[in-house]
Amino acid sequence: MMLRSERKRNKEISLNEPIGMDKEGNTISLIDVVETDDIDTLDKMEKEEDIVRVREYVEKVLTDREKEIIVRRYGLNGLAPVTQKKVGTDMGISRSYVSRIEKKALEKLKKAFDNTYLT
């Protein structure tokens, strides 16, 4: 029995045990070969869900003016992001007013987003 037990134990391999070398001469372990990107996939899926949620909230929660400022400032809907000064000039308002509207809009979005995770 003891010999069988020893034989089984000898077949166990650590994931960190070296199994070879790569082209550059670095040691490769088993974990390097079998490691998956499940965590990255999960993070990616969560990020995609969050993006969808943010876009929904931009449409549902913000006023038209707030929406326009957020879309232009952060480059949503395929637009390039622009400065507060540029948004203000284009909309005929001051940069500081754009800043206040943007801050209020972001607070609304954060509140809506936080409420999603509370339910």
Side-chain angles (χ1 to χ4, degrees):
M1 290 285 256
M2 189 176 98
L3 291 174
R4 280 190 204 165
S5 175
E6 280 298 313
R7 194 176 299 161
K8 286 182 182 178
R9 222 180 286 152
N10 287 338
K11 291 182 181 180
E12 292 176 3
I13 299 174
S14 166
L15 291 177
N16 294 316
E17 186 174 322
I19 60 170
M21 303 283 232
D22 66 8
K23 292 177 184 176
E24 298 167 353
N26 300 318
T27 303
I28 298 175
S29 62
L30 190 57
I31 197 159
D32 295 329
V33 177
V34 297
E35 189 175 337
T36 64
D37 61 345
D38 289 343
I39 295 171
D40 293 334
T41 303
L42 276 175
D43 287 344
K44 185 178 177 182
M45 289 173 59
E46 286 177 357
K47 185 176 180 179
E48 288 172 2
E49 288 174 6
D50 289 346
I51 290 169
V52 168
R53 229 180 248 115
V54 166
R55 286 186 173 151
E56 286 175 12
Y57 294 149
V58 165
E59 292 298 320
K60 291 179 182 177
V61 176
L62 303 181
T63 66
D64 289 340
R65 178 175 258 182
E66 291 168 338
K67 184 175 16 176
E68 181 178 356
I69 288 172
I70 294 298
V71 166
R72 297 194 60 215
R73 283 283 294 130
Y74 295 94
L76 304 180
N77 302 333
L79 299 175
V82 296
T83 64
Q84 289 177 342
K85 185 174 183 175
K86 173 73 171 138
V87 172
T89 300
D90 292 349
M91 294 178 72
I93 58 178
S94 69
R95 187 219 47 85
S96 62
Y97 191 45
V98 169
S99 177
R100 286 193 301 269
I101 294 170
E102 179 181 348
K103 183 178 178 181
K104 182 180 174 186
L106 291 174
E107 287 172 0
K108 282 180 168 181
L109 291 172
K110 182 182 183 320
K111 185 177 179 181
F113 207 83
D114 288 346
N115 287 336
T116 298
Y117 288 105
L118 293 177
T119 56

PDB file of all heavy atoms in Angstrom, residues 64-79:
ATOM      1  N   ASP A  64     -31.211  67.331 -22.224  1.00  0.00           N
ATOM      2  CA  ASP A  64     -30.579  67.406 -23.547  1.00  0.00           C
ATOM      3  C   ASP A  64     -29.241  68.133 -23.484  1.00  0.00           C
ATOM      4  O   ASP A  64     -28.259  67.710 -24.108  1.00  0.00           O
ATOM      5  CB  ASP A  64     -31.505  68.092 -24.552  1.00  0.00           C
ATOM      6  CG  ASP A  64     -32.698  67.222 -24.928  1.00  0.00           C
ATOM      7  OD1 ASP A  64     -32.617  65.993 -24.718  1.00  0.00           O
ATOM      8  OD2 ASP A  64     -33.706  67.766 -25.419  1.00  0.00           O
ATOM      9  N   ARG A  65     -29.191  69.226 -22.728  1.00  0.00           N
ATOM     10  CA  ARG A  65     -27.956  70.006 -22.623  1.00  0.00           C
ATOM     11  C   ARG A  65     -26.868  69.189 -21.917  1.00  0.00           C
ATOM     12  O   ARG A  65     -25.724  69.155 -22.363  1.00  0.00           O
ATOM     13  CB  ARG A  65     -28.215  71.306 -21.876  1.00  0.00           C
ATOM     14  CG  ARG A  65     -26.956  72.146 -21.693  1.00  0.00           C
ATOM     15  CD  ARG A  65     -27.278  73.449 -21.063  1.00  0.00           C
ATOM     16  NE  ARG A  65     -27.278  74.416 -22.154  1.00  0.00           N
ATOM     17  CZ  ARG A  65     -27.488  75.694 -22.026  1.00  0.00           C
ATOM     18  NH1 ARG A  65     -27.788  76.193 -20.858  1.00  0.00           N
ATOM     19  NH2 ARG A  65     -27.440  76.505 -23.052  1.00  0.00           N
ATOM     20  N   GLU A  66     -27.228  68.541 -20.815  1.00  0.00           N
ATOM     21  CA  GLU A  66     -26.270  67.706 -20.097  1.00  0.00           C
ATOM     22  C   GLU A  66     -25.767  66.578 -20.998  1.00  0.00           C
ATOM     23  O   GLU A  66     -24.570  66.288 -21.035  1.00  0.00           O
ATOM     24  CB  GLU A  66     -26.915  67.108 -18.838  1.00  0.00           C
ATOM     25  CG  GLU A  66     -27.210  68.114 -17.752  1.00  0.00           C
ATOM     26  CD  GLU A  66     -28.093  67.566 -16.655  1.00  0.00           C
ATOM     27  OE1 GLU A  66     -28.817  66.572 -16.894  1.00  0.00           O
ATOM     28  OE2 GLU A  66     -28.074  68.132 -15.546  1.00  0.00           O
ATOM     29  N   LYS A  67     -26.693  65.965 -21.710  1.00  0.00           N
ATOM     30  CA  LYS A  67     -26.344  64.863 -22.609  1.00  0.00           C
ATOM     31  C   LYS A  67     -25.355  65.339 -23.676  1.00  0.00           C
ATOM     32  O   LYS A  67     -24.350  64.681 -23.936  1.00  0.00           O
ATOM     33  CB  LYS A  67     -27.605  64.301 -23.257  1.00  0.00           C
ATOM     34  CG  LYS A  67     -27.354  63.106 -24.127  1.00  0.00           C
ATOM     35  CD  LYS A  67     -28.584  62.422 -24.697  1.00  0.00           C
ATOM     36  CE  LYS A  67     -29.854  63.196 -24.639  1.00  0.00           C
ATOM     37  NZ  LYS A  67     -30.982  62.534 -25.269  1.00  0.00           N
ATOM     38  N   GLU A  68     -25.631  66.477 -24.284  1.00  0.00           N
ATOM     39  CA  GLU A  68     -24.747  67.001 -25.329  1.00  0.00           C
ATOM     40  C   GLU A  68     -23.348  67.258 -24.776  1.00  0.00           C
ATOM     41  O   GLU A  68     -22.348  66.900 -25.410  1.00  0.00           O
ATOM     42  CB  GLU A  68     -25.315  68.297 -25.913  1.00  0.00           C
ATOM     43  CG  GLU A  68     -24.454  68.871 -27.014  1.00  0.00           C
ATOM     44  CD  GLU A  68     -25.019  70.139 -27.637  1.00  0.00           C
ATOM     45  OE1 GLU A  68     -26.138  70.558 -27.267  1.00  0.00           O
ATOM     46  OE2 GLU A  68     -24.324  70.701 -28.489  1.00  0.00           O
ATOM     47  N   ILE A  69     -23.275  67.818 -23.591  1.00  0.00           N
ATOM     48  CA  ILE A  69     -21.972  68.119 -22.992  1.00  0.00           C
ATOM     49  C   ILE A  69     -21.214  66.830 -22.675  1.00  0.00           C
ATOM     50  O   ILE A  69     -20.033  66.701 -23.003  1.00  0.00           O
ATOM     51  CB  ILE A  69     -22.139  69.005 -21.738  1.00  0.00           C
ATOM     52  CG1 ILE A  69     -22.547  70.420 -22.189  1.00  0.00           C
ATOM     53  CG2 ILE A  69     -20.870  69.034 -20.903  1.00  0.00           C
ATOM     54  CD1 ILE A  69     -22.936  71.355 -21.072  1.00  0.00           C
ATOM     55  N   ILE A  70     -21.874  65.868 -22.076  1.00  0.00           N
ATOM     56  CA  ILE A  70     -21.216  64.604 -21.730  1.00  0.00           C
ATOM     57  C   ILE A  70     -20.767  63.867 -22.988  1.00  0.00           C
ATOM     58  O   ILE A  70     -19.639  63.360 -23.061  1.00  0.00           O
ATOM     59  CB  ILE A  70     -22.127  63.718 -20.848  1.00  0.00           C
ATOM     60  CG1 ILE A  70     -22.373  64.366 -19.491  1.00  0.00           C
ATOM     61  CG2 ILE A  70     -21.563  62.313 -20.705  1.00  0.00           C
ATOM     62  CD1 ILE A  70     -21.130  64.567 -18.647  1.00  0.00           C
ATOM     63  N   VAL A  71     -21.617  63.797 -23.982  1.00  0.00           N
ATOM     64  CA  VAL A  71     -21.274  63.110 -25.237  1.00  0.00           C
ATOM     65  C   VAL A  71     -20.060  63.766 -25.886  1.00  0.00           C
ATOM     66  O   VAL A  71     -19.124  63.082 -26.313  1.00  0.00           O
ATOM     67  CB  VAL A  71     -22.483  63.099 -26.207  1.00  0.00           C
ATOM     68  CG1 VAL A  71     -22.064  62.709 -27.610  1.00  0.00           C
ATOM     69  CG2 VAL A  71     -23.557  62.150 -25.685  1.00  0.00           C
ATOM     70  N   ARG A  72     -20.035  65.075 -25.922  1.00  0.00           N
ATOM     71  CA  ARG A  72     -18.923  65.768 -26.571  1.00  0.00           C
ATOM     72  C   ARG A  72     -17.657  65.732 -25.727  1.00  0.00           C
ATOM     73  O   ARG A  72     -16.565  65.540 -26.249  1.00  0.00           O
ATOM     74  CB  ARG A  72     -19.319  67.207 -26.880  1.00  0.00           C
ATOM     75  CG  ARG A  72     -20.490  67.220 -27.884  1.00  0.00           C
ATOM     76  CD  ARG A  72     -20.763  68.535 -28.528  1.00  0.00           C
ATOM     77  NE  ARG A  72     -19.604  68.997 -29.260  1.00  0.00           N
ATOM     78  CZ  ARG A  72     -19.283  70.288 -29.334  1.00  0.00           C
ATOM     79  NH1 ARG A  72     -20.018  71.200 -28.760  1.00  0.00           N
ATOM     80  NH2 ARG A  72     -18.223  70.658 -30.007  1.00  0.00           N
ATOM     81  N   ARG A  73     -17.791  65.897 -24.429  1.00  0.00           N
ATOM     82  CA  ARG A  73     -16.609  65.903 -23.550  1.00  0.00           C
ATOM     83  C   ARG A  73     -15.897  64.563 -23.519  1.00  0.00           C
ATOM     84  O   ARG A  73     -14.675  64.499 -23.508  1.00  0.00           O
ATOM     85  CB  ARG A  73     -17.014  66.282 -22.119  1.00  0.00           C
ATOM     86  CG  ARG A  73     -17.276  67.739 -21.916  1.00  0.00           C
ATOM     87  CD  ARG A  73     -15.999  68.547 -21.824  1.00  0.00           C
ATOM     88  NE  ARG A  73     -15.257  68.186 -20.632  1.00  0.00           N
ATOM     89  CZ  ARG A  73     -13.966  67.879 -20.620  1.00  0.00           C
ATOM     90  NH1 ARG A  73     -13.257  67.928 -21.713  1.00  0.00           N
ATOM     91  NH2 ARG A  73     -13.365  67.537 -19.507  1.00  0.00           N
ATOM     92  N   TYR A  74     -16.660  63.479 -23.504  1.00  0.00           N
ATOM     93  CA  TYR A  74     -16.060  62.156 -23.350  1.00  0.00           C
ATOM     94  C   TYR A  74     -16.014  61.359 -24.649  1.00  0.00           C
ATOM     95  O   TYR A  74     -15.626  60.194 -24.644  1.00  0.00           O
ATOM     96  CB  TYR A  74     -16.786  61.378 -22.243  1.00  0.00           C
ATOM     97  CG  TYR A  74     -16.567  62.051 -20.914  1.00  0.00           C
ATOM     98  CD1 TYR A  74     -17.481  62.975 -20.423  1.00  0.00           C
ATOM     99  CD2 TYR A  74     -15.413  61.813 -20.183  1.00  0.00           C
ATOM    100  CE1 TYR A  74     -17.267  63.633 -19.215  1.00  0.00           C
ATOM    101  CE2 TYR A  74     -15.186  62.465 -18.977  1.00  0.00           C
ATOM    102  CZ  TYR A  74     -16.114  63.367 -18.497  1.00  0.00           C
ATOM    103  OH  TYR A  74     -15.886  64.022 -17.312  1.00  0.00           O
ATOM    104  N   GLY A  75     -16.405  61.980 -25.745  1.00  0.00           N
ATOM    105  CA  GLY A  75     -16.278  61.326 -27.042  1.00  0.00           C
ATOM    106  C   GLY A  75     -17.166  60.111 -27.205  1.00  0.00           C
ATOM    107  O   GLY A  75     -16.733  59.100 -27.738  1.00  0.00           O
ATOM    108  N   LEU A  76     -18.396  60.200 -26.736  1.00  0.00           N
ATOM    109  CA  LEU A  76     -19.327  59.089 -26.900  1.00  0.00           C
ATOM    110  C   LEU A  76     -19.909  59.107 -28.307  1.00  0.00           C
ATOM    111  O   LEU A  76     -19.795  60.091 -29.035  1.00  0.00           O
ATOM    112  CB  LEU A  76     -20.449  59.186 -25.865  1.00  0.00           C
ATOM    113  CG  LEU A  76     -20.010  59.250 -24.395  1.00  0.00           C
ATOM    114  CD1 LEU A  76     -21.221  59.355 -23.494  1.00  0.00           C
ATOM    115  CD2 LEU A  76     -19.168  58.054 -24.023  1.00  0.00           C
ATOM    116  N   ASN A  77     -20.557  58.022 -28.682  1.00  0.00           N
ATOM    117  CA  ASN A  77     -21.210  57.895 -29.991  1.00  0.00           C
ATOM    118  C   ASN A  77     -20.245  58.118 -31.152  1.00  0.00           C
ATOM    119  O   ASN A  77     -20.599  58.690 -32.170  1.00  0.00           O
ATOM    120  CB  ASN A  77     -22.402  58.852 -30.101  1.00  0.00           C
ATOM    121  CG  ASN A  77     -23.432  58.616 -29.021  1.00  0.00           C
ATOM    122  OD1 ASN A  77     -23.565  57.518 -28.500  1.00  0.00           O
ATOM    123  ND2 ASN A  77     -24.166  59.658 -28.666  1.00  0.00           N
ATOM    124  N   GLY A  78     -19.013  57.696 -30.977  1.00  0.00           N
ATOM    125  CA  GLY A  78     -18.038  57.777 -32.058  1.00  0.00           C
ATOM    126  C   GLY A  78     -17.399  59.136 -32.249  1.00  0.00           C
ATOM    127  O   GLY A  78     -16.618  59.322 -33.182  1.00  0.00           O
ATOM    128  N   LEU A  79     -17.705  60.094 -31.400  1.00  0.00           N
ATOM    129  CA  LEU A  79     -17.099  61.420 -31.510  1.00  0.00           C
ATOM    130  C   LEU A  79     -15.766  61.453 -30.780  1.00  0.00           C
ATOM    131  O   LEU A  79     -15.538  60.677 -29.856  1.00  0.00           O
ATOM    132  CB  LEU A  79     -18.028  62.481 -30.902  1.00  0.00           C
ATOM    133  CG  LEU A  79     -19.411  62.633 -31.530  1.00  0.00           C
ATOM    134  CD1 LEU A  79     -20.243  63.631 -30.729  1.00  0.00           C
ATOM    135  CD2 LEU A  79     -19.277  63.091 -32.973  1.00  0.00           C
TER     136      LEU A  79
END
